[in-house]
Amino acid sequence: MAHGGGGKLMHQLLDRVFGPAFGNPLLDTRHDSAQFSVPPGRLAMTTDSYVVRPIFFPGGDVGSLAVHGTVNDLAMSGARPLYLSCGFILEEGLALETLGRVVCSMRDAARRCGVQIVTGDTKVVDKGKGDGLFINTTGLGVIETADVIGPTAVQPGDAVVVSGDLGRHGMAIMAVREGLQFESAIESDAAPVHEPVLALLRAGIKVHCLRDLTRGGLASALNEIATSARVKIAVEQTAIPVREDVHAACELLGLDPLHVANEGRFVLFVPAEAALRALAVLRTHPVSAGATLIGRVMEAAAPLVTLRSAIGASRILDMPSGEQLPRIC
C-alpha cells in the first residue's frame, strides 16, 4: 500500500519502473498535466479500461492490449494516434516483476505504434479489493481525412470487408483460463491496426465506416452499424475467414466464432467500386493480409443482418444475448 501513498516508495516506483520505460520529454516534466501542441485538423479522443484475465496470454498481455486497444479505437475514426495517458490500479501484493513485465510490454507497444505516453496515475488498493492489475488508457489522435467515418455514413451498395481471420483472441484467452489443450497453439490476434487504416486513407479510398471487432465480435458490430444506418447487411458465411482450429475450439465450447472477441481485426465499409482497391491496400500489411470481401449493404424497411450459409440458406445474424466470455479485454 505504501507504493501508492505519495511518499518515498511511490517515487521509487516511478523512478525504477515507470520512468525508465515510458520516459520522454513531456512525461519527464512530472507536472500535473502534459503540455503539447497538436497538428491542425480534427482530433479524436477515446478511453478504455483493461481487466483481462489472465494478465499474460498467448500472443500478448494486458499491457500491450491496453496500448493496441486504444490505438485501434482512434484508428476507427481515421485518426493517427499521437498521445496516450495510462492509469494503473494495483492490488497490494502484486509482484514488482509482474508489473515490470507489463510496463515494458506497454513501452514496446507504444514505440511500435508511434505514440508517446505523456501522463499517468497509479493507485494501490488493499489486498482482495482488486484482481492484481487493471489499466486504463486514454488516447488522442488527429484525423487524417475530411470525411466523417462512422455508421451513419454507410449506404446501400457498400461493400463489407473484414481485415482477417476471426475469433483467435477470445479462444486464446479461453484456452489458458480453462486449461484447454488443442492440437495447435491458438495465439491472440491482438495487434495495432492503425497502419492499414491510414494506408487506405492516404491511397484516397473513400471509407464510410470502420469498427474494430472486440466484445460481441463481428455479429455485434454488424448489428450496431445496421441499426445506426437503418440498412440491411448481408454476409456470406463461406467468405468469413475463421481458422479451422478456432472453429473447432468454438464448436467444443458451444460458441459462435462470429460472436467471439478479436483485438486486431476490424470491419470496413467502402463503396462497391472501391472494394478491390481497398483489399489490395489491406493485403500489403501483415496485420490485415487476410482481408476478405464478405458481403454488401442493401436498402431495407428495418435494420437487419443476414448470413447466407454454405448450402445457400439465409438466416438472421443476431447480437449475442449476453457476454459469452467475460474479462477478455
Side-chain angles (χ1 to χ4, degrees):
M1 288 296 293
H3 283 98
K8 289 183 178 178
L9 285 178
M10 192 190 82
H11 285 88
Q12 286 178 6
L13 190 66
L14 297 177
D15 291 338
R16 297 175 181 177
V17 179
F18 295 110
F22 297 159
N24 59 64
L26 295 177
L27 186 67
D28 292 346
T29 63
R30 296 202 177 185
H31 196 26
D32 282 347
S33 58
Q35 301 176 35
F36 49 80
S37 300
V38 294
R42 290 183 298 145
L43 298 178
M45 184 176 177
T46 186
T47 190
D48 206 343
S49 298
Y50 299 86
V51 298
V52 64
R53 282 293 171 274
I55 291 175
F56 302 100
F57 51 84
D61 57 75
V62 66
S64 59
L65 186 64
V67 173
H68 294 161
T70 296
V71 163
N72 290 349
D73 284 345
L74 291 172
M76 295 301 101
S77 293
R80 176 165 54 89
L82 297 174
Y83 301 114
L84 295 181
S85 75
C86 61
F88 290 85
I89 305 294
L90 311 177
E91 184 182 13
E92 183 184 19
L94 177 73
L96 283 178
E97 187 271 341
T98 300
L99 177 61
R101 285 180 61 190
V102 170
V103 167
C104 288
S105 179
M106 293 186 74
R107 174 201 62 198
D108 296 343
R111 286 177 180 171
R112 179 183 176 191
C113 296
V115 297
Q116 287 184 300
I117 295 172
V118 296
T119 188
D121 181 55
T122 303
K123 294 289 188 296
V124 181
V125 298
D126 290 324
K127 194 170 183 61
K129 301 295 184 183
D131 195 5
L133 169 64
F134 300 147
I135 302 175
N136 172 271
T137 46
T138 295
L140 184 71
V142 62
I143 297 174
E144 292 213 339
T145 176
D147 297 327
V148 174
I149 297 174
T152 56
V154 171
Q155 301 173 10
D158 279 356
V160 185
V161 172
V162 293
S163 64
D165 65 289
L166 303 183
R168 277 195 282 133
H169 178 69
M171 287 301 97
I173 297 289
M174 198 66 181
V176 175
R177 191 181 292 171
E178 301 300 326
L180 301 177
Q181 298 287 333
F182 301 117
E183 288 187 1
S184 61
I186 299 176
E187 291 196 343
S188 169
D189 49 58
V193 300
H194 63 296
E195 289 182 350
V197 169
L198 296 178
L200 289 169
L201 299 177
R202 291 167 184 170
I205 294 171
K206 191 172 184 63
V207 174
H208 286 164
C209 185
L210 297 157
R211 180 64 60 87
D212 56 345
L213 305 176
T214 55
R215 284 179 298 176
L218 178 67
S220 276
L222 294 181
N223 275 281
E224 291 167 2
I225 292 167
T227 299
S228 296
R230 300 198 64 76
V231 295
K232 174 182 176 180
I233 301 173
V235 295
E236 302 284 336
Q237 186 172 27
T238 55
I240 299 173
V242 179
R243 280 187 2 182
E244 285 189 12
D245 53 357
V246 172
H247 197 275
C250 286
E251 279 194 339
L252 180 68
L253 297 169
L255 301 174
D256 184 339
L258 305 189
H259 292 163
V260 174
N262 314 269
E263 288 293 344
R265 298 288 180 261
F266 61 93
V267 64
L268 163 73
F269 292 76
V270 293
E273 60 272 19
L276 293 180
R277 204 151 63 92
L279 285 170
V281 171
L282 292 174
R283 288 170 180 169
T284 62
H285 292 266
V287 73
S288 55
T292 307
L293 177 66
I294 64 166
R296 59 196 175 102
V297 179
M298 294 179 280
E299 291 185 357
L304 186 67
V305 179
T306 63
L307 177 75
R308 194 169 73 159
S309 71
I311 60 172
S314 288
R315 66 175 175 87
I316 294 173
L317 180 62
D318 212 345
M319 283 189 181
S321 57
E323 192 174 21
Q324 290 188 321
L325 303 173
R327 302 289 300 278
I328 208 158
C329 61

